[in-house]
Amino acid sequence: GNVALSGHLQSIASGNVFVRLSEMKVGQLVTLYTTRQDKTVYKVAEVKMVRNTDVTVVEPTTKPRLTLITCAGDWVQYSPNYGDGDYSHRVIVVAEPFLLGQTP
């Protein structure tokens, strides 16, 4: 199914884990490591921006995929739509499993 991972764009306490996520390009490879050092390689299939309220990107899928998510857009201090402060959009990188021997 869909492995969805989110990381901060900017954070004083938690680091800037996905600060360069928006620079990803279709065709690039992403390696996901587990705590046991197992790894799975994925190939980026799509990079897009969605509203911060769009949760369809984390829905289950029938095929395996990796979805990486971080903040983007304008910082909104407070509004009924955004709560106590949030970015207006999300950068979404969708990647599919990549098997050794395939062309990147």
Side-chain angles (χ1 to χ4, degrees), residues 5-102:
L5 302 173
S6 63
H8 287 289
L9 175 66
Q10 297 177 341
S11 172
I12 294 170
S14 301
N16 304 336
V17 177
F18 283 162
V19 70
R20 298 183 65 199
L21 190 65
S22 65
E23 298 173 20
M24 295 293 301
K25 304 288 184 216
V26 171
Q28 285 185 294
L29 299 181
V30 177
T31 304
L32 178 65
Y33 291 91
T34 68
T35 56
R36 297 183 314 200
Q37 295 304 307
D38 296 329
K39 69 178 182 178
T40 304
V41 179
Y42 294 87
K43 183 177 174 182
V44 175
E46 182 179 15
V47 180
K48 63 183 177 179
M49 192 177 313
V50 300
R51 298 286 306 169
N52 70 350
T53 54
D54 183 349
V55 295
T56 62
V57 298
V58 296
E59 290 179 348
T61 57
T62 56
K63 295 182 180 179
R65 79 176 193 190
L66 174 66
T67 303
L68 305 175
I69 306 164
T70 197
C71 299
D74 298 322
W75 177 257
V76 179
Q77 215 36 32
Y78 176 82
S79 79
N81 294 333
Y82 301 117
D84 289 335
D86 194 2
Y87 285 91
S88 60
H89 290 78
R90 301 287 185 259
V91 171
I92 308 297
V93 173
V94 176
E96 299 167 345
F98 178 80
L99 302 175
L100 294 177
Q102 287 182 316

